[in-house]
Amino acid sequence: IVGDLPIPFDTVLNISALVIVLTFVFLKVSWKESILINTETVFEDKQNLFGKILGVLTLLLLILPGLISDESAKTSVVPLILWVFLWIGVPVLGLIFGDVYAKFNPLAILNLESKKPNNVYVASVLFLGLTWFELVWNKPGNPQHIGTVFLILFLVTNLIRKSSKSSSIEVDPLLLLHHLYSKLRLTNKKPFLKGLLENIANLTNLKGMEYFILLMIGTVTYDGLRGTTFWYNQFGSSTLDLGFSTLAFFSINLIVILFYRFACWFAIKISGENLNLNDVSLQFGHTMLPIAFAYHVTHYLSLLLYESQSTVYRFNDPFGTGLNLFDVNEVTINYFLTPVALWGIQVFLTLAGHMLSVVLAHDLAVKLFGHQQSDKTQYIFLLITVGLTLQALFVLSVP
């Protein structure tokens, strides 16, 4: 839609970069002490009877249709539940109601003994595998493929939980994804901004948390870039090759992680403090969460707004066996937002997420390195934030 934008694309990029830089400068002048209070966050994933029933039903609707019928992705309820409801719809509900997904998580319907959570490395690996299936695999909407993948995910997560007594948050990528997004809930205590910032900042220090958040950014970055003509012009027909796409997918995620780690190393080096790189990397992880959320929502917003309108049509025959529960034979999608209006919402969310990230990073830098050193230690973080902003706007604006 770049040719239909209300203002020139170059102007959009320049103004956006300027907004991020001015936010950084404003914080340096006015934000001289950390305002956030650290409190340990306790993961609550207990399910009541209703939650377990809903979880079982969700699990059956994800697995059974692909195994008992050959219904296509265009009419099946399976891709709607996974890629529209669980992937974007429920996280958006989390902005108001908190972690809704944990109350009916289909991967946690078994009551298993667990120890206090320590790390999220397994969840990170499984998240990478799940997003590879979504973004690289040729038919991620195929009900049979989704059913197989989700059955494997159910078995793997519960076997690991059973054998190692791991907490579900350590091994369940969907639970961790929803929990992180619920940290941005808008129904916080007053004052609103301080409550929001503290809610984000008070993530339990589980090792590997920053990598999970960075993978959230990297996977959407890959998905956005691969859909542009720029990507096709650079790599041509190779973009259709599974091997090339897999290499590109992992490479972009690795680049995001390496840049982040370099920014943490740079902050320590400039400050002159004797701090451990892994500790600083983990502590700054939450500062990237608003960017991850902005990427996720803007990228899948149109899917949520429009594909969700097919809910009744798809649930008319939930298992693909010929049922006709609601006597609905076709679906009409109402594209109630103009492309420019949708683009405007996406740009606003993108800038808001990146600005919030700058605020969180500055507050933590003040706490770790002091006000005098805070700006110097954040130069690479600022560069990364501006780069991610421009990349996101490029993907949103260029076909």
Side-chain angles (χ1 to χ4, degrees):
I1 63 174
V2 66
D4 300 322
L5 299 181
I7 54 179
F9 180 52
D10 289 346
T11 303
V12 174
L13 294 182
N14 292 333
I15 292 176
S16 300
L18 182 61
V19 167
I20 300 299
V21 173
L22 288 178
T23 301
F24 179 82
V25 174
F26 173 78
L27 292 171
K28 169 61 180 175
V29 173
S30 62
W31 200 303
K32 298 183 179 182
E33 294 183 4
S34 174
I35 67 169
L36 303 183
I37 300 173
N38 287 339
T39 58
E40 183 177 2
T41 300
V42 178
F43 291 108
E44 180 58 57
D45 56 2
K46 300 292 183 182
Q47 297 178 351
N48 58 27
L49 179 60
F50 176 77
K52 286 191 177 296
I53 293 174
L54 184 57
V56 170
L57 181 60
T58 303
L59 185 66
L60 292 177
L61 286 172
L62 284 168
I63 295 175
L64 287 184
L67 300 181
I68 63 179
S69 72
D70 58 353
E71 194 176 14
S72 72
K74 293 183 178 180
T75 59
S76 175
V77 72
V78 178
L80 177 77
I81 292 175
L82 180 58
W83 301 129
V84 179
F85 290 162
L86 300 186
W87 203 245
I88 177 65
V90 178
V92 169
L93 286 179
L95 291 177
I96 306 298
F97 303 106
D99 195 352
V100 176
Y101 179 79
K103 301 182 186 305
F104 71 94
N105 179 10
L107 297 179
I109 55 178
L110 302 180
N111 291 322
L112 299 175
E113 182 183 355
S114 63
K115 299 177 294 187
K116 182 179 179 180
N118 178 57
N119 67 77
V120 294
Y121 293 127
V122 173
S124 298
V125 172
L126 292 178
F127 176 77
L128 196 60
L130 186 61
T131 49
W132 177 88
F133 168 69
E134 178 204 6
L135 305 176
V136 180
W137 186 249
N138 295 327
K139 296 181 180 180
N142 183 293
Q144 184 177 11
H145 294 178
I146 291 177
T148 302
V149 167
F150 214 85
L151 179 59
I152 293 173
L153 189 61
F154 176 81
L155 294 175
V156 169
T157 54
N158 282 281
L159 283 174
I160 294 175
R161 287 178 58 202
K162 178 68 175 178
S163 61
S164 63
K165 295 184 179 180
S166 299
S167 169
S168 56
I169 201 73
E170 295 180 276
V171 300
D172 187 339
L174 286 173
L175 178 62
L176 183 54
L177 177 76
H178 286 79
H179 175 78
L180 289 175
Y181 284 150
S182 71
K183 304 295 287 184
L184 290 103
R185 63 184 299 175
L186 302 176
T187 52
N188 285 293
K189 62 183 180 181
K190 295 182 180 180
F192 169 75
L193 180 60
K194 186 173 185 293
L196 174 63
L197 295 178
E198 285 189 349
N199 200 33
I200 299 172
N202 289 327
L203 292 174
T204 299
N205 270 348
L206 300 182
K207 295 178 181 178
M209 184 71 80
E210 75 273 36
Y211 297 116
F212 190 93
I213 295 173
L214 293 171
L215 289 176
M216 290 160 60
I217 296 174
T219 52
V220 177
T221 298
Y222 165 77
D223 193 24
L225 287 174
R226 69 161 184 157
T228 63
T229 53
F230 167 81
W231 186 262
Y232 183 80
N233 290 338
Q234 294 297 313
F235 303 110
S237 59
S238 297
T239 58
L240 304 177
D241 180 70
L242 184 64
F244 171 82
S245 297
T246 299
L247 178 62
F249 172 79
F250 284 107
S251 296
I252 288 178
N253 279 285
L254 181 61
I255 289 171
V256 171
I257 291 173
L258 289 177
F259 268 108
Y260 174 83
R261 291 284 289 186
F262 175 71
C264 293
W265 174 86
F266 180 86
I268 297 173
K269 196 73 173 177
I270 290 297
S271 70
E273 300 286 342
N274 185 24
L275 298 173
N276 182 274
L277 176 58
N278 291 330
D279 291 340
V280 172
S281 175
L282 180 57
Q283 289 185 69
F284 272 97
H286 74 273
T287 69
M288 306 301 289
L289 183 58
I291 296 178
F293 185 80
Y295 268 40
H296 189 86
V297 173
T298 56
H299 192 73
Y300 297 108
L301 182 60
S302 59
L303 185 70
L304 175 63
L305 294 178
Y306 303 133
E307 193 60 36
S308 61
Q309 296 179 36
S310 67
T311 299
V312 176
Y313 171 70
R314 290 175 182 266
F315 271 91
N316 189 53
D317 182 17
F319 294 101
T321 56
L323 292 175
N324 188 14
L325 298 178
F326 309 113
D327 193 25
V328 178
N329 299 316
E330 60 181 22
V331 61
T332 301
I333 305 298
N334 179 14
Y335 296 94
F336 54 89
L337 287 177
T338 65
V340 171
L342 179 62
W343 173 83
I345 295 172
Q346 292 171 321
V347 169
F348 171 78
L349 291 174
T350 298
L351 285 178
H354 287 77
M355 290 171 65
L356 193 55
S357 177
V358 172
V359 171
L360 288 165
H362 175 79
D363 184 272
L364 182 57
V366 169
K367 181 180 295 186
L368 291 180
F369 309 117
H371 178 255
Q372 292 300 321
Q373 296 276 30
S374 61
D375 59 331
K376 299 175 184 178
T377 63
Q378 293 301 290
Y379 287 154
I380 301 300
F381 274 108
L382 177 64
L383 181 63
I384 292 174
T385 303
V386 171
L388 288 173
T389 303
L390 298 183
Q391 183 275 142
L393 293 176
F394 173 79
V395 167
L396 290 175
S397 305
V398 177

